[in-house]
Amino acid sequence: MSMNQEIARRFADAAAILEITGANAFRVNAVTKVARLLEEMPEDIGAIADDPKALARIDGIGKSSAEKISEYAETGTIEDFDVLRASIPAGLIDVLALPGLGPKTVGLLWKKGDVTDVETLEAKIDAGELTAIPRMGKKTLDNIKDAIEFSRRSAGRIRLGDAMPLAERLVESISAAEGVTRIAYAGSLRRGRETIGDIDILAAADAPESATEALTSLPDVEKILLSGATKTSVRLEQGVQVDLRIVPESIFGAALMYFTGSKEHNVMLRERAIQRGMRLNEYGLFEDDGEKEPPQNRGMRPVAAETEQAIYEALELKPTPPELREEIQAETDHVAEDLITLESVKAELHAHTKASDGTMTLEELIQQARSRGFHTLAVTDHSKSSVQANGLSVERLLEHIDAIHDANARHDDINVLAGSEVDILADGSLDYPDDVLAKLDWVIASPHSSLRQDPDKATRRLLRAIEHPLVHAIGHPTGRLINEREGLSPDMARLLEAALEHDTALELNANPWRLDLRDRHVRMAQEAGVMVTVDTDAHGPSDFDLLRYGVMTARRGGLGSALCPNCWTEGKLLSWIRSKR
Ligand code: DGT
Ligand code: CA
Ligand code: CA
Ligand code: ZN
């Protein structure tokens, strides 16, 4: 967050608290105005923050606000606002955060109903104690109760793999509406974050009503939160909010860029525009003529607006892939030229059959891999200690290896490798003896148990597996499950160092529950020159479709195909694999 936004947030919070306490409207308005001013101001307030006189010369900032801004720049806090915050029960801030509850209502609930936090609010609604308060009819109270339940259910962000199919279904329904000419999902979903706060959809439409109607009439819609000409918000029964924005087609690119974010990326682009004498907002990139009034309100024609690409070019930037729009820096020089794509993946190196806990026969698995155009497939069923996953005893494994080699001989258009996903036991030893591992073409070693180990032990455990000469890759190295299980927290820098030395890859497991390695670990690997395999860990045929989540995460980490064995040619891949035998 820039200094402008940080301070704007402080002023906006203060305005809300003032309103809760029932301060007079002039005072509330004055503070709100400063917040808005700071939010929209193109110049960096930090540059003059130590000079209250210069601050007070800005239109709309009075003497006392100027002092507060200086105080924040100097100390990181604003004492008056801290005092203000302490004047209301701390729990009221959570009440204010409930969807649909504004400061006026919160003030009323507190003063007339003795509500001090979400818990007392809920208890009092249940006990029927709030009905006597003005404007608190049964319907309003039911809505509040509803909001409490929703915020509880959706406190966690939803997984990328749950949000994406949902968003694609919505996009398809809305695109069928009359007059819709362009449509896309934006926000964190387009950037491929592992979890999604809400789903943002952007449409260009001649007749906004039919697009809006296409969303609000869907059976999944549990509640319409807001319905306007250009913005509609609904809550789905899947526990996620959807924001639909409708814009003219001529500015679709500018709006898509803005609503894709991230906020930090937007700030960086806006600053770059300012440096070039231009102004950038969700309506387009405009020449800056020094007028205060936003250019789009004065009928100015944008320099660029229709496509994202045109805007990046006008800012003298290479277009930044959405997955890389997280960082403050958008200078794309550091984006790998060979950033991986879904199409560049030519091998699946982690897949299960009925021999352990998969649902496919060996032949079905091979057909899936062939249908995706892969040149190589490694069959990697579980090892003996994974009892719950029907892991293979040494005897069963040896039979399985023969069966896989036979199958490979039957198919001359794909290399089918006899592999194993062998457990890394708690002490770092592997679940099969070396002479058995040596019979396998390909070995992934994965942690499946003892996932609450302390970081030191976890590091030593994984190091042992990385250093093992017969191991090609470490499967889902931390064992985390998104929103469910933290997993191991090894010293990633040390693992990468060892992986580089021993020519071992770390896996990015594409299953959207895992996405392990995480995006930031992939970035560390790319920077360290360590190989990262991207595999689906398929247990059934449709799991091959999960590859996209792995690829998005890999791109967020800047992974280039030179370090991703799944993207290599058959010759290069097999020669690395054989080098470990
Ligand atoms: P989420 O939904 O929490 O997973 O994350 P986002 O990135 O989807 O955020 P969201 O839904 O609040 O807003 C979508 C995009 O809209 C965001 O990535 C950037 C843009 N945006 C929203 N509010 C602001 C803002 O106050 N300032 C700027 N510069 N951009 C904003
Ligand atoms: Ca969002
Ligand atoms: Ca949103
Ligand atoms: Zn596994």
Side-chain angles (χ1 to χ4, degrees):
M1 229 189 297
S2 72
M3 169 94 66
N4 294 32
Q5 281 175 317
E6 279 173 37
I7 304 179
R9 170 80 55 83
R10 297 299 192 287
F11 275 81
D13 289 352
I17 296 172
L18 279 171
E19 203 171 346
I20 291 176
T21 62
N24 83 43
F26 286 116
R27 207 167 150 220
V28 175
N29 269 340
V31 178
T32 307
K33 266 200 189 129
V34 177
R36 204 164 294 150
L37 191 88
L38 289 168
E39 171 84 28
E40 281 159 15
M41 189 166 99
E43 309 82 325
D44 175 19
I45 195 85
I48 51 167
D50 57 358
D51 182 355
K53 283 215 184 82
L55 284 170
R57 274 197 294 275
I58 299 175
D59 222 12
I61 296 187
K63 180 163 171 284
S64 103
S65 299
E67 282 166 358
K68 290 187 175 72
I69 294 168
S70 297
E71 185 190 351
Y72 183 83
E74 201 184 319
T75 65
T77 59
I78 298 170
E79 211 196 341
D80 281 0
F81 288 171
D82 291 348
V83 172
L84 189 62
R85 180 175 279 260
S87 71
I88 63 164
L92 281 187
I93 302 291
D94 300 332
V95 178
L96 186 63
L98 291 172
L101 259 76
K104 272 214 178 61
T105 311
V106 175
L108 216 54
L109 289 168
W110 173 38
K111 292 200 169 144
K112 301 262 184 300
D114 268 336
V115 168
T116 54
D117 54 33
V118 175
E119 284 67 38
T120 58
L121 174 58
E122 188 172 34
K124 280 169 188 277
I125 293 175
D126 289 345
E129 286 176 29
L130 300 175
T131 46
I133 302 177
R135 294 197 286 125
M136 289 294 146
K138 177 169 171 354
K139 186 147 180 276
T140 308
L141 290 172
D142 281 349
N143 279 342
I144 296 176
K145 180 94 179 157
D146 201 8
I148 295 174
E149 270 157 26
F150 174 72
S151 75
R152 220 163 257 154
R153 239 187 312 141
S154 61
R157 301 160 55 85
I158 73 166
R159 279 178 292 269
L160 176 64
D162 297 327
M164 186 67 91
L166 205 52
E168 282 176 338
R169 195 152 56 71
L170 298 176
V171 162
E172 201 181 310
S173 303
I174 299 167
S175 71
E178 197 197 319
V180 174
T181 54
R182 290 188 72 180
I183 185 158
Y185 53 80
S188 52
L189 185 64
R190 184 162 178 242
R191 303 197 311 277
R193 273 191 69 171
E194 63 188 39
T195 61
I196 305 302
D198 68 2
I199 296 175
D200 301 285
I201 297 178
L202 185 70
D206 304 328
E209 309 77 37
S210 55
T212 305
E213 166 80 12
L215 173 63
T216 55
S217 63
L218 288 173
D220 315 61
V221 172
E222 192 179 86
K223 187 163 188 173
I224 299 170
L225 302 169
L226 186 124
S227 182
T230 58
K231 182 175 172 182
T232 301
S233 292
V234 300
R235 182 209 289 165
L236 302 184
E237 60 192 18
Q238 290 85 349
V240 64
Q241 182 175 321
V242 180
D243 292 344
L244 170 66
R245 291 179 186 82
I246 299 174
V247 300
E249 191 171 355
S250 60
I251 66 158
F252 190 80
L256 182 60
M257 180 179 239
Y258 180 84
F259 291 112
T260 296
S262 64
K263 278 182 194 151
E264 290 73 15
H265 187 74
N266 290 350
V267 167
M268 186 284 307
L269 292 174
R270 216 156 51 205
E271 279 163 6
R272 199 172 165 98
I274 291 166
Q275 285 163 10
R276 283 164 176 70
M278 294 187 278
R279 284 170 77 168
L280 176 65
N281 59 31
E282 64 264 50
Y283 300 93
L285 179 67
F286 298 87
E287 292 296 344
D288 188 1
D289 56 6
E291 293 286 327
K292 250 208 174 126
E293 182 75 8
Q296 69 275 7
N297 297 354
R298 293 181 279 122
M300 270 179 81
R301 281 178 58 87
V303 177
E306 199 165 343
T307 65
E308 288 185 331
Q309 173 146 356
I311 299 171
Y312 277 112
E313 278 169 9
L315 292 172
E316 296 168 273
L317 284 170
K318 285 184 227 160
T320 306
E323 294 94 335
L324 289 165
R325 297 188 198 170
E326 278 318 323
E327 282 148 271
I328 313 280
Q329 286 297 326
E331 319 296 338
T332 46
D333 309 338
H334 69 287
V335 175
E337 284 290 334
D338 61 342
L339 189 67
I340 77 163
T341 61
L342 200 52
E343 295 70 38
S344 64
V345 172
K346 293 291 174 209
E348 172 58 63
L349 301 171
H350 185 167
H352 300 263
T353 69
K354 281 184 168 170
S356 62
D357 61 348
T359 63
M360 294 173 281
T361 62
L362 176 56
E363 189 56 32
E364 283 164 349
L365 174 60
I366 294 170
Q367 291 312 329
Q368 277 301 322
R370 282 183 68 231
S371 74
R372 313 277 158 160
F374 292 162
H375 59 62
T376 301
L377 164 72
V379 182
T380 56
D381 280 297
H382 287 283
S383 64
K384 64 180 197 298
S385 289
S386 277
V387 178
Q388 73 295 343
N390 189 24
L392 277 63
S393 64
V394 170
E395 196 184 6
R396 285 179 63 214
L397 176 67
L398 296 178
E399 283 170 20
H400 198 38
I401 292 174
D402 286 342
I404 296 166
H405 285 160
D406 284 350
N408 186 37
R410 281 198 307 276
H411 293 276
D412 54 12
D413 57 351
I414 184 165
N415 304 295
V416 187
L417 305 180
S420 171
E421 181 182 18
V422 56
D423 270 37
I424 306 174
L425 305 178
D427 64 356
S429 61
L430 301 182
D431 199 21
Y432 291 128
D434 287 359
D435 62 327
V436 173
L437 294 177
K439 292 190 165 60
L440 290 159
D441 306 317
W442 165 256
V443 174
I444 300 176
S446 306
H448 285 116
S449 55
S450 304
L451 296 173
R452 292 169 182 277
Q453 247 172 356
D454 73 57
D456 272 353
K457 269 206 186 121
T459 305
R460 271 180 276 130
R461 173 190 193 178
L462 293 169
L463 280 176
R464 252 186 95 180
I466 289 169
E467 288 161 5
H468 195 296
L470 295 167
V471 169
H472 293 92
I474 306 299
H476 46 74
T478 75
R480 67 103 171 237
L481 293 178
I482 297 173
N483 287 355
E484 296 280 318
R485 177 171 77 200
E486 193 50 42
L488 304 170
S489 312
D491 179 341
M492 206 43 81
R494 285 188 61 199
L495 299 192
L496 291 171
E497 211 173 286
L500 188 64
E501 185 186 338
H502 295 273
D503 213 19
T504 304
L506 300 186
E507 175 188 83
L508 191 185
N509 192 296
N511 187 302
W513 283 72
R514 294 193 180 273
L515 298 178
D516 171 19
L517 298 175
R518 295 163 165 74
D519 48 13
R520 62 172 186 278
H521 294 151
V522 173
R523 177 163 301 280
M524 289 170 72
Q526 169 72 19
E527 279 164 10
V530 170
M531 291 178 285
V532 175
T533 51
V534 182
D535 289 308
T536 67
D537 195 355
H539 284 70
S542 63
D543 290 348
F544 277 82
D545 297 332
L546 302 179
L547 183 59
R548 57 193 302 197
Y549 304 117
V551 169
M552 285 185 109
T553 305
R555 288 166 65 84
R556 289 171 61 82
L559 182 65
S561 48
L563 286 174
C564 180
N566 307 71
C567 300
W568 294 352
T569 61
E570 179 172 2
K572 182 168 176 194
L573 177 63
L574 295 182
S575 114
W576 166 57
I577 291 175
R578 285 183 194 127
S579 73
K580 291 234 172 187
R581 282 295 167 278

